[in-house]
Amino acid sequence: MPRSINGFQVCTAALLGLLGLYVIVQGGSYEMGSLRRMGPGFFPVMVGSVLLLFAALLAVEVRHSAPETGVWIPRPILAIAAGFVAFAVLLERAGLVPATLALVILVSLADKPVRPVAAVVTALSLSALGVLVFIYGLGIPVAAFEW
């Protein structure tokens, strides 16, 4: 008996591929440059290429997977969106560390079950790494804590 194609997930992969193609076409209108001296079109074309690759891999992976029958749960989307909004709001007002802590804690609420210890350890680790890489390593002018 042939397996049916999971149309919803294949269409989702196709939309991701179309987004990748759009980004490639739009980025291709800018100068590409080289690996040593990247032009303004280099990064969008590379991101679009990665999106296109992910779309192809996703389509192959989910082509014959069983369709999900569960009810759509908005909690993961809302938790991730809230994390991004909190990071954007807190970065200039409170600093990199509180913004990263809020981002990771809010995004961890999307997972089921919620693991508070793992979320706090991850938030603290990413905050420390962010300070080391972005403030000290790259010299980005953002405060770790804004008092």
Side-chain angles (χ1 to χ4, degrees):
M1 178 174 158
R3 297 181 348 194
S4 64
I5 293 178
N6 187 344
F8 178 73
Q9 290 186 347
V10 171
C11 286
T12 304
L15 286 174
L16 183 65
L18 287 174
L19 176 65
L21 281 174
Y22 176 76
V23 171
I24 290 171
V25 168
Q26 292 299 317
S29 64
Y30 295 107
E31 182 184 340
M32 288 292 291
S34 66
L35 282 177
R36 288 183 169 260
R37 295 187 67 80
M38 293 181 227
F42 188 85
F43 186 73
V45 169
M46 289 300 116
V47 169
S49 300
V50 169
L51 282 174
L52 195 58
L53 175 67
F54 283 164
L57 294 174
L58 182 63
V60 169
E61 180 182 349
V62 301
R63 183 182 57 206
H64 291 296
S65 65
E68 296 182 18
T69 58
V71 178
W72 183 72
I73 301 170
R75 186 182 81 195
I77 293 173
L78 294 175
I80 292 169
F84 287 146
V85 169
F87 184 83
V89 168
L90 290 174
L91 184 61
E92 287 186 6
R93 290 175 177 83
L96 181 64
V97 172
T100 304
L101 290 172
L103 170 71
V104 174
I105 298 297
L106 286 171
V107 167
S108 72
L109 297 176
D111 197 17
K112 193 173 182 180
V114 176
R115 296 177 182 91
V117 174
V120 169
V121 169
T122 303
L124 292 173
S125 301
L126 285 177
S127 295
L129 185 65
V131 168
L132 291 174
V133 170
F134 295 113
I135 296 176
Y136 294 119
L138 297 174
I140 294 178
V142 64
F145 293 97
E146 190 71 42
W147 301 109

